[in-house]
């Protein structure tokens, strides 16, 4: 695994609890026997525990799922060329030294003709991709598409014979406590299978950032090299792509995280059909309900998503949804956290309709909402999060076209550009985000761009930016 999610300072507290009973006894001198004189009875209802029943996992057979999966999980080797530290000889010669770096991970064959799903961070910056099957056959792989936000990538190998593959399961139906297997290549150990249970769903590891995640959390042992491998249920169906570890050491200490299969499948289908990921949005800003804020909002419910704001020109804006509504489910799937809502919407395409179950003034109503294109896009190459302008913003900035800077990341995060729009990149007028992406498709690393911006005061500024 090339990158690992670091701990947020979480600690596991352990303790020893001693359980016992207290008896009053007396020694009867006449016969020297110890007899019970009184028993303190518990006021709580007690159900006796039977240790003669099935307290093991007998009846759960992992062998079939392991056999189906192990031959469909591959070893991915990523060779990259990175800039090396400069020596004095390099300085005098005026040359830039480079060196080859090798990263490894896992992948899952999802079609018999060689399409393989893996993590974006496994194949990132690759100059050469190589795949080794469980039978030790090696192939050169082609990158079909990669999405940094979801950390999902699609690669392909060419072979004359049909390959074993893992069928997709429905991750929405996966349940907490359900047994799962993680299959991958940790520490370059091929074909490794570990077992655990689903510990949680809709898990967001970085709740303080703007990127809402929705992982399946398991306690199946996952280590460096497992990235991109399969998380399967006991039927051998793919329900997740193992992606991250939450650890202070970089290795497994109890929890691992997988991208749900429904999310991964949608991204892969987009790569196959369109060549890029179609990202949709519901069009709300809101917050998770809890016992504290539900009282502040004057609500009886403590679960669901409180709709604090509706985005202009979105599907929610064009529906009957209102500010102050509480979304409790989408298409019958219970929604109690924003990460669950975000995760479900990521399985949908623009134009799809979801049926929202909403609480309004303590009444339960159904509202159909059409998913619209998500016009907010993070572009790592120029370290900006951008959004197409709304009608109101065009009036504020006195423009017909342009792209709003909603956030800066990386080196640019020190600058507050939230009052600026991008109007031009090099010689290209920017109408929308597609214009910027079109320019960047022809840009090579370390190329310098001239970016023109305008603020709400009408002031125009230009700066030069070197592409990552």
């Amino acid at each position: 695994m090339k990158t690992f999610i670091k701990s947020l300072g979480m600690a596991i507290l352990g303790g020893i609890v001693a359980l016992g009973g207290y008896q009053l006894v007396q020694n009867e001198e006449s016969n020297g026997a110890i007899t019970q004189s009184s028993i303190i009875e518990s006021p709580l209802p007690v159900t006796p525990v039977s240790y003669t029943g099935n307290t093991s996992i007998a009846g759960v057979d992992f062998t079939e799922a392991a056999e189906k999966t192990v031959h469909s999980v591959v070893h991915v080797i990523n060779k990259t060329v990175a800039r090396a530290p400069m020596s004095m000889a390099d300085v005098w010669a005026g040359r830039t030294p480079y060196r080859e770096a090798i990263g490894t991970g896992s992948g899952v064959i999802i079609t018999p003709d060689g399409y393989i799903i893996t993590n974006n961070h496994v194949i990132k910056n690759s100059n050469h991709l190589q795949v080794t099957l469980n039978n030790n056959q090696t192939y050169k792989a082609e990158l079909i598409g990669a999405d940094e936000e979801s950390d999902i990538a699609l690669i392909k190998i060419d072979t004359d014979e049909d390959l074993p593959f893992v069928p997709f399961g429905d991750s929405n139906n996966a349940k907490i406590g359900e047994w799962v297997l993680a299959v991958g290549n940790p520490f370059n150990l091929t074909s490794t299978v570990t077992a655990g249970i689903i510990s949680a769903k809709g898990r967001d590891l970085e709740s303080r950032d703007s990127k809402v995640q929705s992982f399946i959390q398991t306690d199946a042992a996952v280590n460096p090299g497992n990235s991109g491998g399969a998380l399967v249920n006991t039927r051998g169906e793919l329900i997740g792509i193992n992606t991250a570890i939450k650890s202070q050491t970089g290795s497994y200490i109890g929890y691992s995280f997988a991208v749900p299969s429904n999310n991964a499948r949608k991204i892969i289908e987009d790569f196959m059909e369109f060549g890029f990921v179609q990202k949709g949005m519901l069009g709300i800003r809101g917050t998770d309900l809890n016992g504290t804020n539900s009282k502040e909002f004057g609500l009886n419910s403590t679960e669901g998503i409180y709709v604090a704001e509706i985005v202009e020109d979105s599907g929610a804006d064009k529906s009957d949804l209102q500010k102050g509504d509480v979304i409790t489910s989408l298409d019958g799937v219970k929604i109690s956290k924003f990460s669950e809502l975000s995760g479900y919407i990521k399985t949908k395409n623009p134009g799809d309709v979801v049926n929202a179950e909403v609480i309004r003034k303590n009444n339960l109503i159904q509202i159909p909402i059409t998913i619209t294109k998500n016009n907010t896009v993070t572009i790592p190459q120029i370290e900006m999060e951008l959004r197409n302008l709304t009608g109101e913003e065009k009036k504020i900035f006195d423009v017909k076209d342009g792209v709003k800077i909603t956030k800066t990341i990386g080196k640019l995060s020190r600058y507050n550009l939230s009052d600026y729009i991008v109007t031009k990149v090099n010689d290209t007028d920017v109408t929308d985000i597609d214009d910027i992406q079109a320019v960047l498709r022809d840009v090579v690393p370390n190329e310098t761009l001239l970016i023109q911006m305008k603020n709400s005061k009408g002031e125009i500024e230009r700066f030069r930016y070197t592409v990552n």
Side-chain angles (χ1 to χ4, degrees):
M1 196 177 272
K2 291 180 69 180
T3 60
F4 312 99
I5 296 183
K6 297 182 179 178
S7 170
L8 299 179
M10 299 174 63
I12 300 175
L13 304 179
I16 300 175
V17 179
L19 303 177
Y22 177 66
Q23 296 180 339
L24 297 176
V25 298
Q26 65 179 13
N27 186 352
E28 293 186 6
E29 294 180 358
S30 58
N31 55 19
I34 298 177
T35 60
Q36 179 177 313
S37 61
S38 65
I39 299 176
I40 298 178
E41 296 184 356
S42 171
L44 302 175
V46 176
T47 301
V49 178
S50 171
Y51 293 97
T52 60
N54 178 18
T55 59
S56 69
I57 60 172
V60 180
D61 186 2
F62 298 111
T63 58
E64 183 179 355
E67 179 66 22
K68 287 180 178 178
T69 310
V70 72
H71 300 293
S72 304
V73 174
V74 302
H75 194 199
V76 180
I77 298 176
N78 173 14
K79 296 181 181 180
T80 64
V81 177
R83 182 176 294 181
M86 294 184 68
S87 65
M88 288 303 299
D90 294 321
V91 174
W92 286 110
R95 65 190 176 209
T96 302
Y98 291 91
R99 63 185 176 190
E100 184 179 80
I102 298 178
T104 63
S106 303
V108 186
I109 304 173
I110 54 173
T111 64
D113 58 345
Y115 281 98
I116 297 169
I117 188 172
T118 185
N119 284 140
N120 174 71
H121 73 259
V122 170
I123 56 82
K124 189 174 182 180
N125 299 324
S126 64
N127 290 94
H128 177 77
L129 285 174
Q130 179 178 298
V131 166
T132 302
L133 307 187
N134 193 46
N135 61 7
N136 295 323
Q137 288 184 309
T138 299
Y139 298 89
K140 181 180 179 181
E142 174 191 4
L143 177 62
I144 303 299
D147 181 58
E148 185 167 11
E149 181 179 343
S150 63
D151 203 5
I152 291 294
L154 180 67
I155 61 178
K156 189 179 186 305
I157 60 175
D158 291 325
T159 175
D160 295 331
E161 57 187 26
D162 286 349
L163 299 172
F165 66 95
V166 182
F168 277 93
D170 187 347
S171 54
N172 286 337
N173 291 333
K175 300 188 182 302
I176 295 174
E178 178 181 347
W179 283 98
V180 289
L181 297 179
V183 186
N185 302 280
F187 305 117
N188 284 328
L189 300 172
T190 59
S191 307
T192 297
V193 180
T194 55
I197 62 169
I198 295 177
S199 308
K201 294 176 66 179
R203 185 69 81 195
D204 186 0
L205 301 184
E206 300 286 352
S207 58
R208 292 176 292 182
D209 65 15
S210 61
K211 185 171 72 173
V212 181
Q213 302 164 320
S214 186
F215 288 120
I216 295 175
Q217 177 183 318
T218 80
D219 65 355
V222 169
N223 280 292
N226 271 112
S227 280
L231 185 73
V232 299
N233 56 26
T234 54
R235 296 184 296 278
E237 298 168 338
L238 186 67
I239 62 169
I241 300 299
N242 296 315
T243 298
I245 304 167
K246 195 173 186 66
S247 169
Q248 294 173 319
T249 64
S251 296
Y252 174 79
I253 58 171
Y255 297 113
S256 55
F257 303 88
V259 176
S261 61
N262 287 8
N263 297 70
R265 183 176 185 174
K266 188 265 179 189
I267 291 167
I268 295 309
E269 288 174 345
D270 281 356
F271 285 147
M272 290 180 171
E273 185 173 355
F274 307 107
F276 60 91
V277 180
Q278 290 198 108
K279 297 183 180 180
M281 68 174 184
L282 196 65
I284 69 163
R285 296 187 180 94
T287 185
D288 302 353
L289 279 185
N290 55 48
T292 301
N293 63 18
S294 62
K295 294 179 180 178
E296 296 175 358
F297 297 141
L299 301 170
N300 294 330
S301 176
T302 57
E303 285 190 313
I305 306 301
Y306 178 81
V307 179
E309 184 181 347
I310 295 178
V311 177
E312 182 183 351
D313 293 330
S314 67
D317 187 33
K318 296 172 184 176
S319 74
D320 293 330
L321 196 69
Q322 297 178 8
K323 179 180 177 180
D325 287 346
V326 176
I327 298 174
T328 59
S329 74
L330 294 173
D331 295 334
V333 177
K334 183 180 178 182
I335 301 294
S336 58
K337 299 179 292 186
F338 207 92
S339 59
E340 293 173 341
L341 182 144
S342 175
Y344 187 78
I345 295 302
K346 286 177 181 177
T347 67
K348 302 297 179 181
N349 281 316
D352 291 347
V353 177
V354 296
N355 190 44
E357 191 171 75
V358 171
I359 297 176
R360 180 183 297 168
K361 297 181 179 178
N362 296 322
N363 294 318
L364 199 61
I365 59 176
Q366 306 288 330
I367 300 177
I369 303 174
T370 301
I371 303 300
T372 52
K373 185 177 179 181
N374 188 347
N375 290 324
T376 300
V377 178
T378 300
I379 304 181
Q381 289 168 286
I382 56 174
E383 299 182 318
M384 292 182 183
E385 182 183 87
L386 304 171
R387 173 174 50 77
N388 290 338
L389 292 177
T390 64
E392 183 63 27
E393 287 169 340
K394 290 179 181 179
K395 295 178 183 178
I396 293 174
F397 289 94
D398 190 24
V399 294
K400 293 182 179 180
D401 301 303
V403 171
K404 180 77 166 62
I405 302 174
T406 57
K407 183 182 177 182
T408 52
I409 59 177
K411 298 188 298 292
L412 284 186
S413 60
R414 72 188 75 172
Y415 304 107
N416 182 11
L417 301 179
S418 58
D419 188 42
Y420 285 85
I421 62 172
V422 177
T423 58
K424 202 170 191 176
V425 177
N426 290 342
D427 297 324
T428 302
D429 291 327
V430 173
T431 302
D432 53 26
I433 290 174
D434 291 341
D435 290 337
I436 293 181
Q437 291 177 321
V439 172
L440 293 177
R441 275 195 288 269
D442 298 325
V443 170
V444 298
N446 299 320
E447 183 175 338
T448 299
L449 300 176
L450 179 62
I451 299 177
Q452 178 175 295
M453 305 183 303
K454 182 179 182 181
N455 61 24
S456 58
K457 299 177 182 178
E459 299 169 336
I460 295 177
E461 297 183 25
R462 298 176 182 85
F463 73 98
R464 295 189 180 277
Y465 181 86
T466 301
V467 176
N468 295 324

